[in-house]
Amino acid sequence: MTSNTISNIKVLGAMCHTVYSILTRTKDKEDDAIVDFAEIAKMTKLRDSHIKNAIYTLCVCGLLRKTGYNTFKTTNKYVLENMTKGYISQELFIQEGDCLITRSWLSMIHRCLNLDSYHDVVWSEDFMSVDVFGEWCQKQEYYRAKDDNGKSYHMDKDLLSPRHKREYGKNTCTFLPAELNLLIGKRRLTKDGLTTGISYRKRDNVYSAKLINNGETITLGDFYSKEEASEAYFEAKRLIIIDTAEKWKGRIEDVAYGALLDIQAEDLYTYE
C-alpha cells in the first residue's frame, strides 16, 4: 500500500482506514482477504454495524470487491467516478441526488453485503465502476422495459450465472419481468436436502411437495422419500418456467429465453 493511498483513505475516516489496513495486512498473494468480524471487533473494539458500514464504503470507493462469502479482493486505487455520486457521512457512503442508475448500483452492493440470501453473490470487476455499470445498462434493450402491469423489469443475475456462483456482471445479468425473475430466484437447499415447498410429515412418514404460482397453491402430493418430493417439485417448477418463458418470448433477450428453456433443477437452488 503506497503512502498516497494511506493519506487518501484517511479522508474516509478512522474506521474505514482501520478496517482497510487490517484486510490489506491479512490478504493472500491473490490480494483476497477474509473478513472475520469477531476478530476485527476484538482488535478494534468496533461494533459489527461499524465494520459493515466501513466495508460498504470501501466497496463503493473501489478499494474492496466481494469475491466470495465474507471474502474481498483488496485494491490500492479509488474508482474516482464513484465518489462523484455522493458523499461520506459517519463513514457511510450517502448517495447525492436521485439517479436511477446510481441507486441501482448501490442497491446491488448493499444486497450482496447485507442480505443472508445473497451470502454467495458477488459483482464483477467491471461493475466496480458505477459509470461502466451505467453504460452497460443503457445499452440493454430491456433496461427501461415495463411488464403488463406497468412495473419495471428486474435486473437478474441468477439465470445466466454459472451454477453455484452468482455474479452481477456484463455477461451474467439480464433484465426480466418480475413474474419471471421471481420464478427463477434460487432457493436454499439445506443439508437435509429440503427446499422451499417440501416438508416432512412425521405422523405419516412422508414428504409433502407443493408450490405457489401467481398466488395459487399447487399440491403435488406426498412421497416416501425427499428425493422423490424434490424431483416432483423441481419438475413442476421447470414446466411453469418454460410456460412463462413462452409467454414472454420476444420481450426478453434471446439468450435469456434460451436459458429458461434449458433450466435444470440444479439451477434453482443454492446450498446454505
Side-chain angles (χ1 to χ4, degrees):
M1 181 166 51
T2 66
S3 59
N4 188 45
T5 302
I6 293 175
S7 62
N8 283 341
I9 197 170
K10 284 183 177 178
V11 174
L12 302 183
M15 285 190 293
C16 285
H17 180 250
T18 299
V19 171
Y20 181 76
S21 297
I22 291 172
L23 295 181
T24 53
R25 287 201 304 269
T26 59
K27 67 182 181 180
D28 61 21
K29 61 182 180 180
E30 302 297 328
D31 291 329
D32 285 328
I34 296 176
V35 175
D36 185 331
F37 285 94
E39 185 63 24
I40 294 176
K42 181 179 178 181
M43 293 171 61
T44 64
K45 307 302 181 185
L46 292 173
R47 297 177 181 177
D48 277 3
S49 60
H50 293 155
I51 298 170
K52 288 179 179 179
N53 282 353
I55 289 173
Y56 170 74
T57 298
L58 290 167
C59 287
V60 171
C61 296
L63 294 169
L64 294 180
R65 176 172 66 88
K66 184 181 175 185
T67 55
Y69 178 65
N70 278 353
T71 304
F72 295 81
K73 186 170 292 295
T74 63
T75 73
N76 61 4
K77 185 178 180 181
Y78 284 111
V79 180
L80 295 177
E81 58 264 32
N82 297 353
M83 303 305 294
T84 67
K85 309 299 180 181
Y87 59 94
I88 309 298
S89 175
Q90 297 182 348
E91 308 208 47
L92 182 65
F93 185 84
I94 307 296
Q95 179 194 341
E96 194 169 46
D98 185 29
C99 174
L100 175 60
I101 285 176
T102 302
R103 281 192 283 113
S104 298
W105 181 75
L106 291 175
S107 177
M108 173 191 75
I109 293 176
H110 184 272
R111 290 195 300 272
C112 290
L113 298 181
N114 293 285
L115 297 185
D116 288 341
S117 58
Y118 278 59
H119 68 282
D120 61 329
V121 182
V122 301
W123 60 92
S124 68
E125 187 173 356
D126 285 335
F127 277 10
M128 289 177 70
S129 164
V130 66
D131 282 359
V132 173
F133 173 80
E135 290 170 4
W136 175 83
C137 286
Q138 298 284 10
K139 291 178 181 178
Q140 304 311 301
E141 182 178 359
Y142 299 102
Y143 168 53
R144 292 188 177 277
K146 296 185 183 298
D147 63 18
D148 297 336
N149 296 315
K151 302 293 186 181
S152 297
Y153 278 29
H154 294 182
M155 184 173 71
D156 175 78
K157 81 293 181 190
D158 293 321
L159 181 61
L160 302 181
S161 287
R163 287 177 183 170
H164 308 306
K165 183 185 178 182
R166 297 187 289 170
E167 179 182 74
Y168 284 104
K170 289 182 176 180
N171 298 319
T172 55
C173 286
T174 186
F175 288 93
L176 298 175
E179 181 181 14
L180 272 172
N181 190 48
L182 293 175
L183 266 179
I184 63 173
K186 291 198 175 184
R187 302 294 185 263
R188 287 194 175 189
L189 186 68
T190 68
K191 293 178 181 178
D192 294 329
L194 301 180
T195 187
T196 302
I198 299 174
S199 60
Y200 176 64
R201 194 162 69 246
K202 187 175 182 179
R203 182 186 63 187
D204 300 316
N205 192 29
V206 295
Y207 293 87
S208 298
K210 62 182 179 181
L211 57 80
I212 299 176
N213 183 44
N214 289 330
E216 178 186 357
T217 299
I218 303 173
T219 301
L220 302 174
D222 297 330
F223 304 86
Y224 289 112
S225 71
K226 59 188 177 185
E227 289 79 14
E228 290 176 311
S230 295
E231 183 178 349
Y233 173 86
F234 285 118
E235 179 60 17
K237 187 76 174 283
R238 188 181 71 84
L239 293 176
I240 289 173
I241 290 172
I242 290 174
D243 284 345
T244 309
E246 292 294 345
K247 169 185 172 181
W248 289 96
K249 183 179 180 181
R251 292 187 287 171
I252 58 175
E253 287 187 273
D254 289 343
V255 65
Y257 173 73
L260 288 165
L261 296 187
D262 292 336
I263 206 160
Q264 302 297 318
E266 293 81 2
D267 300 317
L268 297 173
Y269 65 77
T270 179
Y271 288 97
E272 287 188 340

